[in-house]
């Protein structure tokens, strides 16, 4: 039979054990089984209506339907995408605030000082899609292949002018990387967006452009622009007869404009995995796959590990291009 003192010690240890278990439970992050517990915000650091915004809304609908929690798309443009990106970098790492962004995240880190670290402050969830680029010229030019393009540029006293949709964009960096590898004489003519580029290019006011295939394909097919090569590792299914720049003597040349989903650093691995599975499943549905393809993009749906490795490679790759071209403003 227990003495009074023994009973007191037993009760004390029982209470201490319960307190310890509660403390341990509180210290363990909310796992995927309890996620999401409230509204999820998908931050898109660009204006509404673009391809990235469209894909984010596909994700929003899918996650809302699957998990029974509201998933909203929040467009936070400005600062070359840094304003919206910084919101996610500073958000709680619990999976309820996510970033749906582009190639810009890898490039901006080198172009100018940012309030976040592109590598350390984010966890990659999945690459959503990639948009190939192609080198096109106005049909008035006596150019039909890459060798002629390079040689023709060198005959121009001031160089051959090329259009971009703005400094630091994929259309700009594609040309800068090409210049560095080939010694081509090119003169940068920036515009305020893709619509202005197309008008100037089709009108013959500028002669060349490394453009997104989604925007260029129609003009190539109707003859208002001439395609010289594509910028991807492999030829495009829509243009099987058009060679890649890589296969024409520049094997390390590759660029595409990608889109992906990121979470704040520190987000639990099981939540990242749950998000990855649902978003990849969405990309593989026939309806979403067809709609993304219609936008001129190629659906991807990679693992967090594969996308993380690709992202880090992109950050390093474009840092070298930015430095070589003297594009940094910081």
């Amino acid at each position: 039979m227990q003495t009074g003192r023994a009973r007191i010690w037993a009760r004390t240890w029982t209470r201490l054990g319960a307190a310890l278990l509660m403390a341990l439970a509180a210290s363990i992050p909310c796992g995927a089984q309890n996620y999401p517990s409230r509204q999820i915000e998908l931050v898109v650091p660009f204006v509404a209506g673009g391809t990235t915004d469209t894909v984010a809304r596909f994700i929003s609908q899918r996650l809302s339907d699957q998990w029974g929690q509201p998933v909203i798309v929040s467009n936070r443009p400005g600062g070359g995408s840094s304003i919206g990106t910084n919101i996610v970098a500073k958000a709680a790492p619990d999976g309820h605030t996510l970033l749906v962004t582009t190639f810009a995240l890898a490039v901006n880190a080198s172009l100018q000082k940012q309030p976040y670290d592109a590598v350390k402050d984010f966890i990659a969830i999945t690459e959503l899609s990639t948009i190939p680029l192609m080198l096109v010229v106005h049909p008035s030019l006596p150019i039909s292949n890459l060798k002629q393009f390079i040689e023709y540029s060198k005959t121009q006293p001031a160089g051959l002018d090329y259009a971009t949709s703005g400094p630091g964009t994929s259309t700009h960096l594609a040309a800068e990387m090409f210049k560095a590898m080939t010694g081509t004489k090119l003169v940068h003519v920036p515009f305020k967006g893709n619509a202005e580029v197309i008008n100037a290019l089709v009108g013959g006011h500028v002669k060349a452009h490394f453009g997104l295939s989604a925007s260029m394909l129609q003009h190539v097919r109707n003859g208002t622009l001439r395609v010289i090569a594509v910028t991807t590792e492999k030829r495009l299914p829509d243009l099987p007869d058009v060679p890649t720049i890589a296969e024409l003597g520049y094997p390390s040349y590759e660029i595409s404009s990608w889109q992906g989903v990121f979470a704040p650093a520190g987000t639990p691995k099981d939540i990242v995995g749950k998000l990855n599975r649902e978003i990849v499943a969405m990309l593989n549905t026939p309806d979403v796959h067809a709609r993304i393809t219609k936008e001129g993009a190629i659906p991807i749906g990679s693992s967090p590990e594969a996308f993380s490795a690709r992202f880090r490679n992109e950050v390093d790759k474009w840092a070298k291009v930015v430095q070589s071209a003297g594009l940094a403003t910081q």
Side-chain angles (χ1 to χ4, degrees), residues 192-251:
K192 295 178 181 179
N194 199 50
E196 288 188 10
V197 169
I198 292 174
N199 288 336
L201 195 61
V202 171
H205 306 300
V206 287
K207 299 300 190 293
H209 178 52
F210 287 79
L212 298 173
S213 60
S215 304
M216 299 296 109
L217 199 55
Q218 175 186 346
H219 299 283
V220 167
R221 285 173 171 164
N222 65 26
T224 52
L225 294 174
R226 180 183 301 142
V227 60
I228 302 300
V230 296
T231 68
T232 44
E233 289 181 342
K234 298 179 181 179
R235 296 191 182 197
L236 304 184
D238 289 329
L239 298 170
D241 297 328
V242 178
T244 67
I245 291 174
E247 72 183 82
L248 293 174
Y250 306 96

Side-chain angles (χ1 to χ4, degrees), residues 62-85:
R62 168 80 184 196
L63 298 185
S64 294
D65 291 345
Q66 292 296 109
W67 294 340
Q69 289 283 1
V71 182
I72 65 166
V73 175
S74 179
N75 297 94
R76 303 294 185 93
S81 79
S82 66
I83 291 177
T85 302

